[in-house]
Amino acid sequence: MTSLAVNLALSILLPCLAGYGCLLLIFPKHVLPVDMKIALAYGLGLGLLAFWMLVLYICHQPFNLLILQVPFLAIAVLLSFLSLRRTPANGIPENGLIRTNTNTTGEGIWKIFHIAFVVILWLYLAQTTLYVFWLSMTIPVSSWDAVASVAFKAKIFYFEKIPPPLDLLPHKSYPLFTPFMESWVAFNLGQWDDVLIKIIFPCAFLSYLVIHYKFLSHFTNRSWGLLGSVMLLSSNLFIIHATDSYRDFFLMYYNCITIMLLLFFNKNQISAFLVLAGLFAGFATFTKLEGTAFLGIYLVLLAVILIQQNNSSGKEKLKNAAKFCIPGIGICAVFHIYKIWNHILKEGQGNIDKTGLELTWQKFGLIPQIIAKFLQDLFLSGNWNIVWILAFLSLVQFTRKRKAFEAKIIFFSLLLFFGLYIAVAVLTTNYIWIAGVQSSTTLSRLILHFFPLSVLLIILLNYPGTSRDRTKTSSLNPK
Amino acid sequence: MADQCPNNNLSSKPFSHFIILILVFSISLASYMFLISKLFNTSLSDLALQIKNSLYHPHINLCTVITISGIHPLKLFYGALAISVSCSIIALKAFHCLPKEQQIDSIIETVMTVCIAGLLLLSGIQQIHRYDFFKNEQNIFGGETVEERNQILFGRIYDFAQTCKKLLPGTHQGKLMTDLDLNNDPYMLLHRILSYHLYPEISLRLDNGAPNDTIVSFYKHDALMHIPENYRILVLSKDKNYILAIENRSLK
């Protein structure tokens, strides 16, 4: 039992260590606080590990603990050693560049109220986090996609001496990040365990929660960051998928963090954020097929960010774009080229083929139906609490006060995501999954991929400090 | 970079405005609940319990809700929010907390404050039901091994798979015989569950080069008549819906 627990911990720690080492190399000293480095290290380490397993898979190499663990131990040690020799970059304060903003709590009764409010919210976060870990480590693999595809492929990678080629696998065109990660846990455990292989999900939940909180605390303050974190966890679907063997949670993870990293770059002008965002964007493409389409959205957002930067030359902007595109498109290209090489582009025929085009004029007439389906899921499902209603109401703030660029970018990205899925429903064979008879099993998961952005939008729009010019105030918040 | 944000100085907010907002929100919400309970011909406590139990119902890969007297609970909650927002604005105006030159911004801020309070309230109610869910699952799965938990979740399919794995040495590929429509749910899912739990000892969905010498019969009418003579039956359920047969030469 003890050795199982140690092995389980190792399966999480090793990628974290390697990811941490990479972060020390990518980022100048003192840019990121330690807690954020650890949280990002988890995603980076898992992504690098998945990529390494892909390389082994393409080379028809067997998966075993030695070939998987040793490179990561080596990376962690080497990169940590190299980073110790680095000197801090100029202009970065020793207490860190990405810092949480504190807030004034007032005096007297306001202070007591504020402290009580904060304590209750922290208790909620703690309780929900414990619940996620408990649920994940209690219920075995049992959901549809898990037994049919995700965990089943992971089992194949664990038990087969040489991982079988793509065309023999179920859902052969689907990216392999999540099955690779579950099999990695099994290799570390030395046995297949229908419960413990899911440890990667609650850990991703915790990692995302930390980054979400740090992002909001950086752009607003601690209290609003805390409120945003509670809003995030108020979503039932977010909680359920943090405990279940589906790929959607990891796509959400890499997708939303990529956008947050792009916004960190915009604010702090440190190109290391672009490199990390590019890596995360690439990992998103290796998580689900939708991730490849998201790459287009990231490129649009990056273009908007770079174009509106007046203090960089065209050459610098091109360099920055390359820092994002090379890792992002590079990682995406590897798996897609491998699929093309092996003639595996389509999953099947008709509705089964998620990448098939279906171009008919009649389908444009279905747009109101598609939008209605989206609205029903956003406002009248048990998935999102009332977060989406709040997000829509918050949009009024755009008309009243000049809002921060970050809020505009997040709103624009939400429009792009909705537009993408509506376009996919209209132009491809996926209408049935998005707004047709099968939408009950799929649509909510698609919205999950970008749901946290709605929380970021609410906080950024409603936080009083993100207005540039406060020409109008209210009696509840006077100047 | 600023460490403190002067625009968020709470002590500048009149505390009386805040108290009015809290009171009006609470009273309007309670009144609305009372009205709804009368409409539904139920007690206030019973309605509160129904609302609590309507939230957080994990189902497959999403979360459903249970309607309350045929009405979606979120529709009821939106109604509550609308009334609370309206009452709050009226109350703040009545107490001269919405000066004319700042009126629209104050109204927007009031709306958002009430809605955020509503979200937090709903989250709290939901959290209670998540705890109920936790207690229920803990009663079912607490202290059980992984195999026992799988047995609880999957029942006979899992038992059959475990029996097959114990009786069959080595790894094999298998052919599935069934009358069920495996292209549609729920039978498609049953097939996936069976394949998942039989693997790796019997591979139904992957050609892994193992000897293709087993037949798994799963809800096949007159299954025994379809099993070739050179196959020996290793597992046979009483109702003949679960059968495992292996080629005789593989047993030598």
Side-chain angles (χ1 to χ4, degrees):
Chain A
M1 188 72 170
T2 317
S3 67
L4 208 62
V6 167
N7 291 335
L8 188 68
L10 268 175
S11 70
I12 299 299
L13 276 172
L14 270 173
C16 271
L17 279 172
Y20 199 89
C22 286
L23 281 177
L24 292 176
L25 202 66
I26 294 171
F27 280 88
K29 266 189 174 176
H30 305 310
V31 170
L32 296 175
V34 172
D35 46 5
M36 194 154 161
K37 268 205 282 263
I38 294 171
L40 286 169
Y42 177 74
L44 181 59
L46 282 196
L48 292 173
L49 175 61
F51 191 72
W52 171 235
M53 289 178 81
L54 176 63
V55 169
L56 292 173
Y57 181 75
I58 290 171
C59 299
H60 302 292
Q61 294 301 304
F63 289 158
N64 58 61
L65 202 57
L66 207 65
I67 202 170
L68 294 176
Q69 268 188 353
V70 167
F72 275 76
L73 268 171
I75 288 171
V77 167
L78 179 68
L79 293 181
S80 303
F81 174 71
L82 285 173
S83 69
L84 285 171
R85 297 163 65 98
R86 294 184 73 190
T87 51
N90 290 332
I92 297 177
E94 270 200 37
N95 57 344
L97 195 64
I98 307 300
R99 285 174 285 156
T100 54
N101 291 319
T102 54
N103 42 270
T104 52
T105 55
E107 293 168 355
I109 193 100
W110 272 119
K111 192 169 182 177
I112 297 166
F113 172 77
H114 185 256
I115 290 169
F117 182 64
V118 164
V119 165
I120 290 170
L121 293 190
W122 275 113
L123 279 173
Y124 179 89
L125 284 187
Q127 191 188 34
T128 309
T129 303
L130 286 171
Y131 175 69
V132 164
F133 272 89
W134 171 85
L135 191 62
S136 182
M137 294 292 99
T138 299
I139 314 286
V141 164
S142 55
S143 50
W144 217 115
D145 278 23
V147 293
S149 167
V150 182
F152 185 59
K153 281 199 233 186
K155 227 177 167 181
I156 291 171
F157 294 140
Y158 177 71
F159 281 107
E160 297 298 322
K161 287 193 181 64
I162 307 271
L166 271 183
D167 57 348
L168 290 182
L169 295 175
H171 298 288
K172 54 193 175 187
S173 68
Y174 288 6
L176 298 170
F177 174 90
T178 317
F180 277 164
M181 290 303 96
E182 287 185 335
S183 66
W184 154 259
V185 175
F187 280 116
N188 278 273
L189 294 174
Q191 64 187 55
W192 183 263
D193 189 302
D194 286 323
V195 170
L196 295 179
I197 55 162
K198 294 197 295 164
I199 188 68
I200 53 173
F201 296 96
C203 290
F205 162 86
L206 189 58
S207 165
Y208 184 80
L209 188 60
V210 169
I211 297 165
H212 185 93
Y213 170 75
K214 297 302 275 191
F215 177 87
L216 286 175
S217 302
H218 178 69
F219 284 98
T220 61
N221 63 29
R222 276 187 189 149
S223 298
W224 283 84
L226 186 59
L227 183 63
S229 303
V230 166
M231 273 190 202
L232 182 71
L233 301 196
S234 72
S235 158
N236 289 323
L237 199 75
F238 187 87
I239 299 299
I240 288 165
H241 275 265
T243 68
D244 212 349
S245 181
Y246 269 79
R247 294 165 297 148
D248 301 274
F249 194 82
F250 273 106
L251 180 57
M252 181 281 308
Y253 177 88
Y254 284 115
N255 178 41
C256 294
I257 292 176
T258 299
I259 292 172
M260 284 194 263
L261 289 168
L262 288 175
L263 292 175
F264 273 129
F265 162 73
N266 176 66
K267 178 128 189 212
N268 300 291
Q269 300 298 306
I270 292 179
S271 59
F273 284 115
L274 282 178
V275 175
L276 191 60
L279 286 168
F280 274 56
F283 299 148
T285 68
F286 192 48
T287 310
K288 277 195 94 174
L289 289 171
E290 293 92 313
T292 304
F294 289 0
L295 204 51
I297 292 179
Y298 304 145
L299 292 174
V300 169
L301 294 176
L302 180 64
V304 169
I305 287 170
L306 290 175
I307 286 167
Q308 61 88 39
Q309 280 179 352
N310 297 322
N311 52 356
S312 334
S313 64
K315 195 176 170 189
E316 267 175 36
K317 289 182 186 181
L318 276 172
K319 266 174 71 178
N320 283 332
K323 284 178 182 174
F324 176 86
C325 291
I326 291 171
I329 296 174
I331 293 171
C332 178
V334 170
F335 184 60
H336 285 282
I337 290 172
Y338 177 65
K339 284 202 302 182
I340 294 169
W341 191 267
N342 288 276
H343 309 290
I344 297 166
L345 285 176
K346 288 177 127 202
E347 188 61 32
Q349 298 296 325
N351 297 328
I352 306 298
D353 177 24
K354 303 282 175 73
T355 56
L357 287 174
E358 197 175 68
L359 301 167
T360 59
W361 285 112
Q362 290 92 330
K363 283 192 79 184
F364 282 91
L366 293 171
I367 289 178
Q369 217 165 312
I370 295 168
I371 293 173
K373 247 327 193 232
F374 268 98
L375 293 176
Q376 193 180 16
D377 196 287
L378 294 179
F379 301 133
L380 287 176
S381 69
N383 297 322
W384 318 112
N385 201 305
I386 59 168
V387 170
W388 285 105
I389 274 280
L390 255 109
F392 273 86
L393 289 173
S394 301
L395 294 178
V396 171
Q397 302 276 26
F398 270 128
T399 63
R400 303 305 303 165
K401 302 167 188 173
R402 271 184 63 202
K403 282 298 176 183
F405 179 72
E406 289 80 24
K408 292 176 189 169
I409 284 287
I410 289 175
F411 175 57
F412 182 50
S413 68
L414 282 171
L415 288 178
L416 288 175
F417 283 116
F418 278 116
L420 170 70
Y421 282 131
I422 290 171
V424 165
V426 171
L427 301 173
T428 72
T429 52
N430 287 288
Y431 172 81
I432 185 176
W433 303 104
I434 295 175
V437 291
Q438 301 282 2
S439 62
S440 61
T441 67
T442 315
L443 180 57
S444 301
R445 289 189 284 137
L446 299 182
I447 296 173
L448 177 68
H449 300 156
F450 53 85
F451 160 72
L453 299 178
S454 66
V455 176
L456 300 183
L457 184 68
I458 293 168
I459 298 296
L460 289 174
L461 284 177
N462 288 288
Y463 173 62
T466 50
S467 301
R468 291 240 176 91
D469 297 313
R470 283 185 57 78
T471 53
K472 293 179 198 277
T473 61
S474 71
S475 65
L476 293 178
N477 191 18
K479 271 186 178 165
Chain B
M1 169 179 310
D3 279 340
Q4 294 191 343
C5 304
N7 284 338
N8 201 33
N9 188 348
L10 286 176
S11 59
S12 66
K13 291 191 203 315
F15 191 71
S16 56
H17 297 178
F18 189 70
I19 291 294
I20 292 167
L21 207 59
I22 295 272
L23 280 172
V24 170
F25 177 73
S26 309
I27 292 167
S28 57
L29 200 62
S31 308
Y32 177 80
M33 287 272 289
F34 179 75
L35 191 66
I36 295 294
S37 69
K38 289 297 165 205
L39 274 169
F40 290 169
N41 208 24
T42 183
S43 67
L44 198 57
S45 56
D46 198 47
L47 178 65
L49 197 64
Q50 283 186 64
I51 290 171
K52 190 253 309 175
N53 291 337
S54 70
L55 307 166
Y56 193 66
H57 289 274
H59 175 67
I60 307 176
N61 57 32
L62 47 86
C63 196
T64 57
V65 294
I66 292 176
T67 57
I68 300 169
S69 298
I71 297 179
H72 196 292
L74 280 181
K75 285 184 185 173
L76 290 176
F77 196 75
Y78 291 143
L81 273 185
I83 286 175
S84 300
V85 162
S86 309
C87 292
S88 301
I89 292 168
I90 292 168
L92 286 175
K93 201 155 182 175
F95 285 95
H96 305 292
C97 302
L98 300 177
K100 274 189 185 158
E101 64 273 13
Q102 300 160 349
Q103 202 164 64
I104 294 176
D105 287 319
S106 298
I107 289 171
I108 292 170
E109 199 164 309
T110 304
V111 169
M112 293 315 302
T113 304
V114 170
C115 288
I116 290 173
L119 181 143
L120 294 175
L121 176 66
L122 195 63
S123 304
I125 298 170
Q126 200 168 256
Q127 195 75 341
I128 299 170
H129 194 54
R130 282 181 188 171
Y131 181 67
D132 292 340
F133 188 81
F134 157 75
K135 279 193 298 185
N136 184 53
E137 298 295 283
Q138 177 69 2
N139 281 336
I140 297 170
F141 294 106
E144 308 282 351
T145 62
V146 176
E147 289 74 26
E148 286 163 346
R149 292 177 205 179
N150 275 325
Q151 205 286 323
I152 292 166
L153 282 169
F154 303 114
R156 283 186 75 190
I157 285 185
Y158 184 73
D159 289 338
F160 171 65
Q162 292 301 99
T163 308
C164 292
K165 286 159 80 138
K166 281 175 191 153
L167 289 176
L168 214 52
T171 56
H172 307 260
Q173 286 188 72
K175 191 179 96 173
L176 182 71
M177 270 189 348
T178 184
D179 288 332
L180 303 175
D181 179 10
L182 300 186
N183 292 318
N184 291 294
D185 276 331
Y187 307 117
M188 194 194 297
L189 178 59
L190 292 179
H191 167 246
R192 302 305 195 254
I193 293 169
L194 181 64
S195 306
Y196 177 83
H197 286 294
L198 280 173
Y199 184 83
E201 283 79 359
I202 302 173
S203 178
L204 294 181
R205 296 177 66 207
L206 172 73
D207 180 4
N208 57 1
N212 195 347
D213 56 5
T214 56
I215 290 174
V216 175
S217 174
F218 180 59
Y219 288 90
K220 175 79 181 168
H221 183 64
D222 288 333
L224 293 174
M225 289 175 57
H226 292 91
I227 292 174
E229 282 179 9
N230 60 329
Y231 278 72
R232 186 180 146 192
I233 292 172
L234 289 183
V235 178
L236 176 66
S237 65
K238 279 185 189 160
D239 54 9
K240 299 189 178 64
N241 284 326
Y242 295 84
I243 302 172
L244 171 69
I246 186 168
E247 257 192 274
N248 287 326
R249 63 182 169 93
S250 299
L251 287 171
K252 289 174 187 163

